[in-house]
């Protein structure tokens, strides 16, 4: 089995789990052999039906590819949104849309759908694509010159020189009667002015450009990246043209199956009858697949299955509620003998890919790796699985992996092989006292009596505030929870005080109180956000142990004894 693996501008030291994910998806559809090749074009009729490839390019130029990723095939109708984007930049939306509409036709790609003004319904059906093709270079440009302009344009999109397959070009011209009929009707309606046969010839040349799935993924990523080619960094089309091209891909990219496609897959896409299929996720990535067998709509059977799997298992769905992009790595720093990787935001497949790539490109100086996910709002399934698979690879390379997850956002730390990562906990302490829950609660909510006499304010009522201050530091608190007799939560609040102790930033003090059957009350104390990998952890942990042992526990016992004596 042939596998093509591509790394981006910087070589990673370890294989990416993204490549394994793509390979698994390709293998999951390999045995599906339904559908037929495009038998009305002789070259495509004899194409190898078993070719199967998949590529993904991120908006910052990282390229992953598996399967037959270097196999060249004609891009066919995949060319249409790109030529539409070029025309938009050359003439502006108003002029282009005077010649072609933007509405879904609800019909097959080779149906003639004209509106009341004689315009084709959209630029992605054949009649619309012929019309848009004629705008490139103006009406008087020879076929060869227009074709060369488009070939050079597609080469810039791909980041390498592409060519026109003359065999495909001649084969399509020989069976282009329907497209020639469209061109005659468009010419009669005044939509195009070129000779009808020449108009079709330059359109066919556009479709006969040869590319690989790697090329197409980069081209799709260019649209997703607001018109900037992610590998070369060149702006190919404007952000507005890229946006409009993707908008039409949403409504008409899969022809009369476009509605079902967006419901079931949710990826702006465009298919070609040679078996190619591209998709974009704006701001994130471009995808391309190849499999020559087509369904009755002219879309690749296995390509459609691949995209469905990308959408469902990897969360790549434009319409998903968790579809947005945020930087995944907040910072990476070395503390003592460990590398601390702090994550933030929503972790999707795309952000997880960037996180793992960022780690692979960094020279880690310690074999102790701590992943801090306390700043993560949520993981979707694809993001969670990719992060865990990446951590498992680091573990297999000899790293000691630990996870700090105080809110259990990651949900579990089990790797795919059944082993688990070590969990790091906040500072905690537990003790039991022979007192009622109410007595314990009352004692805790008066920190001036057990913590320090310099505590000022109300620590008992929800919404109230108090603070601790000495000659060297100041810490302010707000009472977030005050569930009488059960739970107390004090959040550390930022202030403008110049003595503010920033080692307490973003932390909370939590007291969970429960009474057991023997009449004793157990207190579970957590300093949430005070992590073992923080620089001041040991000193603060020592202070808490002393406060609890010398201040709080004796205070509660004295209160219980006084209550008993009375």
């Amino acid at each position: 089995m042939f596998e093509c693996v591509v790394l981006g501008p910087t070589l990673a030291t370890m294989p990416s789990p993204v490549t394994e994910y793509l390979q698994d998806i390709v293998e999951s559809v390999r045995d599906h052999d339904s559908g037929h090749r495009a038998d009305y074009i002789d070259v495509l009729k004899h194409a190898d039906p078993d070719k199967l490839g998949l590529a993904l390019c991120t908006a910052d130029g990282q390229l992953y590819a598996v399967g037959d990723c270097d196999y060249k095939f004609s891009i066919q109708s995949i060319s249409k949104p790109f030529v539409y984007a070029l025309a938009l930049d050359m003439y502006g939306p108003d002029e282009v849309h005077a010649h072609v509409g933007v509405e879904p036709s609800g019909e097959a790609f080779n149906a003639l759908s004209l509106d009341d003004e004689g315009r084709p319904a959209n630029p992605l059906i054949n009649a619309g694509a012929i019309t848009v093709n004629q705008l490139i270079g103006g009406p008087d440009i020879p076929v060869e010159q227009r074709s060369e302009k488009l070939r050079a344009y597609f080469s810039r999109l791909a980041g390498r020189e592409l060519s026109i397959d003359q065999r495909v070009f001649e084969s399509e011209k020989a069976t282009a009667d329907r497209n020639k009929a469209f061109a005659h009707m468009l010419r009669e309606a005044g939509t195009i002015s070129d000779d009808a046969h020449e108009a079709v010839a330059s359109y066919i040349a556009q479709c006969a450009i040869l590319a690989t799935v790697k090329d197409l993924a980069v081209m799709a990523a260019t649209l997703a990246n607001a018109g900037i080619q992610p590998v070369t960094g060149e702006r190919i089309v404007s952000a507005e043209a890229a946006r409009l091209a993707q908008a039409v891909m949403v409504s008409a990219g899969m022809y009369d199956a476009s509605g079902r496609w967006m419901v079931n897959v949710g990826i702006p896409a465009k298919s070609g009858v040679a078996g190619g299929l591209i998709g974009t996720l704006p701001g994130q990535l471009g995808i391309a697949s190849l499999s020559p067998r087509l369904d009755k709509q002219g879309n690749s059977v296995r390509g459609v299955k691949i995209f469905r799997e990308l959408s469902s298992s990897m969360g790549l769905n434009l319409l998903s509620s968790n579809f947005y992009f945020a930087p995944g790595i907040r910072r990476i720093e070395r503390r003592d003998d460990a590398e601390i990787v702090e994550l933030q935001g929503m972790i999707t497949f795309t952000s997880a890919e960037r996180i793992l790539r960022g780690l692979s490109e960094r020279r880690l100086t310690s074999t102790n790796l701590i992943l801090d996910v306390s700043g993560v709002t949520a993981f979707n399934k694809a993001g969670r699985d990719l992060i865990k698979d990446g951590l498992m690879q680091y573990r297999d390379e000899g790293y000691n992996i630990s996870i700090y997850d105080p809110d259990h956002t990651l949900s579990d730390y089990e790797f795919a092989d059944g082993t688990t990562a070590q969990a790091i906990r906040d500072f905690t302490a537990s003790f039991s006292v022979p007192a009622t829950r109410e007595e314990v609660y009352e004692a805790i909510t008066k920190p001036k009596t057990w913590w320090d006499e310099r505590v000022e304010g109300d620590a008992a009522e929800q919404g109230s505030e108090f603070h601790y201050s000495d000659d060297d530091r100041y810490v302010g608190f707000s009472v977030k929870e005050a569930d009488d007799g059960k739970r107390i939560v004090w959040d550390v609040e930022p202030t403008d005080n110049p003595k503010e102790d920033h080692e307490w930033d973003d932390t909370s003090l939590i007291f969970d109180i429960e009474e057991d059957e023997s009449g004793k009350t157990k207190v579970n104390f957590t300093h949430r956000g005070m992590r073992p990998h923080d620089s001041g952890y040991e000193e603060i942990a020592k202070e808490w142990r002393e406060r609890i042992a010398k201040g709080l526990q004796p205070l509660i016992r004295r209160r219980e004894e006084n209550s008993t004596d009375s």
Side-chain angles (χ1 to χ4, degrees):
M1 180 179 62
F2 174 72
E3 177 181 347
C4 174
V5 179
V6 182
L7 296 177
T10 304
L11 291 177
T13 58
M14 291 189 297
S16 169
V18 175
T19 304
E20 298 176 9
Y21 278 41
L22 298 183
Q23 188 66 54
D24 288 345
I25 289 175
V26 164
E27 294 307 317
S28 72
V29 305
R30 188 176 294 278
D31 292 337
H32 292 275
D33 59 0
S34 61
H36 304 278
R37 289 164 289 185
D39 56 6
Y40 55 90
I41 300 172
D42 189 63
V43 174
L44 303 187
K45 178 180 179 181
H46 294 95
D48 184 348
D50 294 323
K51 291 296 183 184
L52 182 60
L54 175 61
L56 181 153
C57 182
T58 64
D60 59 353
Q62 185 74 15
L63 182 61
Y64 304 91
V66 297
D68 298 308
C69 55
D70 287 316
Y71 175 76
K72 296 178 182 179
F73 58 98
S74 56
I75 62 177
Q76 298 296 329
S77 291
I78 291 173
S79 64
K80 294 174 181 177
F82 297 101
V83 178
Y84 172 58
L86 177 61
L88 288 169
D89 275 347
M90 294 178 69
Y91 299 100
D94 290 343
E95 177 64 19
V96 172
H97 295 153
H99 294 81
V100 65
V102 292
E103 298 297 335
S105 69
E107 297 178 306
F109 66 93
N110 58 356
L112 180 63
S113 298
L114 302 180
D115 63 17
D116 294 339
E117 300 175 13
R119 302 179 307 168
N122 63 68
L124 303 190
I125 58 173
N126 285 5
I130 293 170
T131 301
V132 173
N133 174 277
Q134 296 305 286
L135 294 175
I136 307 304
D140 300 323
I141 188 172
V143 171
E144 293 77 10
Q145 192 173 341
R146 177 180 288 123
S147 299
E148 174 55 25
K149 277 184 174 290
L150 288 171
R151 187 206 63 79
Y153 166 63
F154 278 101
S155 296
R156 291 168 60 212
L157 282 165
R160 70 178 188 91
E161 287 298 313
L162 303 182
S163 62
I164 296 173
D165 188 330
Q166 290 300 321
R167 295 184 310 123
V168 172
F169 177 73
E170 296 297 336
S171 180
E172 286 199 60
K173 270 208 315 180
T175 57
D177 292 340
R178 189 177 185 88
N179 282 337
K180 291 173 185 176
F182 290 165
H184 280 291
M185 296 181 70
L186 292 169
R187 180 178 168 86
E188 181 183 2
T191 304
I192 66 172
S193 57
D194 273 13
D195 173 81
H197 288 210
E198 290 187 355
V200 172
S202 61
Y203 164 67
I204 291 174
Q206 152 191 325
C207 295
I209 290 174
L210 289 174
T212 67
V213 288
K214 292 188 293 185
D215 296 326
L216 291 177
V218 172
M219 290 160 58
T222 302
L223 292 182
N225 196 34
I228 297 176
Q229 215 273 16
V231 177
T232 66
E234 179 187 2
R235 177 167 288 284
I236 310 296
V237 296
S238 67
E240 178 70 359
R243 182 186 69 81
L244 291 173
Q246 291 176 94
V248 175
M249 287 166 65
V250 168
S251 63
M254 302 296 280
Y255 305 117
D256 48 335
S258 295
R260 293 191 301 276
W261 176 265
M262 289 309 294
V263 168
N264 295 322
V265 179
I267 298 175
K270 185 70 198 77
S271 61
V273 294
L277 180 59
I278 66 166
T280 64
L281 287 182
Q284 297 197 32
L285 49 83
I287 314 164
S289 67
L290 165 69
S291 179
R293 295 188 183 94
L294 310 178
D295 59 23
K296 63 181 181 180
Q297 281 84 26
N299 302 320
S300 169
V301 173
R302 292 192 294 191
V304 169
K305 291 182 181 297
I306 284 172
F307 273 70
R308 281 178 178 263
E309 187 63 24
L310 288 168
S311 174
S312 61
S313 68
M314 296 171 69
L316 303 183
N317 190 315
L318 180 66
L319 306 180
S320 172
S321 60
N322 58 33
F323 177 82
Y324 68 90
F325 178 75
I329 295 181
R330 183 183 181 189
R331 62 172 170 252
I332 302 176
E333 59 182 323
R334 176 72 184 268
R335 295 183 195 159
D336 299 327
D337 63 342
E339 297 277 356
I340 315 299
V341 182
E342 296 184 18
L343 306 187
Q344 63 180 351
M346 172 74 185
I347 306 301
T348 62
F349 171 83
T350 305
S351 51
E353 183 275 332
R354 290 181 65 126
I355 289 165
L356 295 178
R357 179 151 47 91
L359 282 176
S360 71
E361 294 169 355
R362 183 183 176 92
R363 184 178 178 84
L364 300 178
T365 57
S366 172
T367 57
N368 295 316
L369 184 62
I370 298 175
L371 189 71
D372 183 343
V373 300
S374 59
V376 172
T377 55
F379 288 84
N380 71 1
K381 183 180 185 301
R384 180 175 63 248
D385 291 347
L386 188 57
I387 287 292
K388 291 199 295 185
D389 285 349
L391 291 177
M392 186 171 67
Q393 284 190 337
Y394 275 95
R395 185 209 61 192
D396 292 345
E397 290 291 321
Y399 287 84
N400 299 313
I401 304 299
S402 301
I403 299 174
Y404 176 66
D405 183 16
D407 297 314
H408 303 289
T409 310
L410 193 58
S411 75
D412 74 83
Y413 314 133
E414 184 175 347
F415 294 136
D417 63 358
T419 60
T420 57
Q422 178 183 352
I424 293 179
R425 308 298 182 189
D426 295 295
F427 173 76
T428 59
S430 299
F431 61 92
S432 295
V433 289
T436 66
R437 189 169 58 192
E438 291 76 12
E439 290 170 331
V440 172
Y441 178 88
E442 183 180 0
I444 292 173
T445 54
K446 295 179 179 178
K448 189 180 183 74
T449 61
W450 61 267
W451 183 341
D452 196 288
E453 62 182 10
R454 288 168 290 190
V455 173
E456 299 290 340
D458 182 2
E461 294 296 325
Q462 186 166 319
S464 60
E465 297 180 350
F466 66 100
H467 66 267
Y468 165 82
S469 179
D470 58 28
D471 293 338
D472 300 317
R473 62 180 174 175
Y474 178 96
V475 184
F477 300 89
S478 66
V479 182
K480 183 179 180 181
E481 291 184 45
D483 187 357
D484 191 17
K486 297 178 182 179
R487 184 177 172 87
I488 305 161
V489 179
W490 297 331
D491 284 351
V492 175
E493 295 292 341
T495 69
D496 296 328
N497 193 297
K499 297 189 299 180
E500 186 171 16
D501 189 345
H502 292 290
E503 288 184 347
W504 289 58
D505 287 355
D506 301 318
T507 67
S508 302
L509 309 183
I510 303 171
F511 299 86
D512 286 304
I513 309 166
E514 58 182 25
E515 196 170 310
D516 62 24
E517 296 179 354
S518 67
K520 290 186 177 181
T521 297
K522 183 178 181 180
V523 179
N524 294 308
F525 168 73
T526 302
H527 193 155
R528 172 66 58 83
M530 187 53 59
R531 305 161 299 185
H533 48 280
D534 286 333
S535 57
Y537 175 83
E538 290 300 332
E539 181 180 351
I540 292 175
K542 179 181 177 182
E543 290 177 353
W544 274 120
R545 293 186 186 99
E546 291 178 352
R547 289 189 195 106
I548 291 171
K550 298 179 180 180
L552 184 55
Q553 285 181 270
L555 172 66
I556 296 172
R557 288 193 177 95
R558 286 197 303 272
R559 283 175 171 269
E560 195 274 335
E561 290 169 359
N562 292 338
S563 174
T564 302
D565 292 341
S566 62

